[in-house]
Amino acid sequence: MKKYLVIGNPIDHSLSPKIHNYWFEKYKIENSIYEKEKIEQKDLPTIYEKLKNGELAGVNVTLPFKKSILPILDILETSATETQSVNTIFKENDKVIGTNTDWEGFHRSIEKTLLPNKKNLDDKNIFIIGAGGVTSSIVYALKKLGGKIFVSNRTQKKVEELKNLFPEINVIKWGNKPPRCEIVVNTTSVGLNSADKIDLDFSDYNNNELFFDLIYSPKETNFLKEAKLRGNKIINGKMMFLYQAAFAFSYWTRIKPEIDDEVIELLD
Ligand code: ATR
């Protein structure tokens, strides 16, 4: 039996097992199962050992271990080094390799929504809110698409750390506004609790800008609801989540799963 795992803390809410087990069945990949496990930092070496000896065939990593897992892996792919974030682990030639498919998930999601006729975001200003675990993947993806990136985080120190990783970003003090942006991305956890709202004023953003929230449950955070009421385009993190899962799945199985209505509905 090939065993796959998503590790994190908390992990109860993870929908990754549902998606990957659905694809194992759909693509008739036998003797494979994907489970979730709540772990502590001290458990990371055991996870590594299990990957090395084949007890685990592949692992997804979620908060808060995406960064702290880096030092224990044998090899990091460029995306993992540049974002300092690993969400997918596989083994090749007896080496345990960490990569990042979050950025690809976001990249694909933005491409599908925004760039059907265009190849990049060169003439666009982009405002990223937050500097948490996933933000480096978003910056990495947006860097590839072009555009000018502004980032603001409640805790200044964390956004300064992000700037060390990506010197090209423009840091905006929390509460201040960047120049007019065509795209605004929420990478904070505010909105997971549907009553909560980001404490920033976007009331003058009412001209068909794009508001992207990485959160997909609830489907519409207050950030998105209010943006929509003001006449903007909105997109939640559902397609990003599915694409990152699809990229991880293809690392493990060499199969590129189709993102069809059925798998999209699994998240509803
Ligand atoms: P971590 O910071 O451990 O990586 P995360 O869940 O990846 O955790 O990131 C949480 C993000 O949401 C951070 O950008 C955090 O801002 P701080 O760095 O200031 O903590 C942001 N966040 C969480 N609650 C927030 C709130 N009430 N207002 C604004 N930002 C908030």
Side-chain angles (χ1 to χ4, degrees), residues 63-64 129-135 152-156 158-159 174 186-190 192 196-199:
L63 296 176
I129 307 163
V134 75
T135 313
S152 194
N153 190 56
R154 181 182 60 175
T155 309
Q156 185 72 8
K158 269 211 249 170
V159 73
W174 188 250
N186 174 38
T187 73
T188 76
S189 47
V190 183
L192 278 174
D196 293 348
K197 201 181 115 179
I198 298 165
D199 189 21

Side-chain angles (χ1 to χ4, degrees), residues 130-142:
V134 75
T135 313
S136 61
S137 303
I138 304 306
V139 175
Y140 185 72
L142 286 169

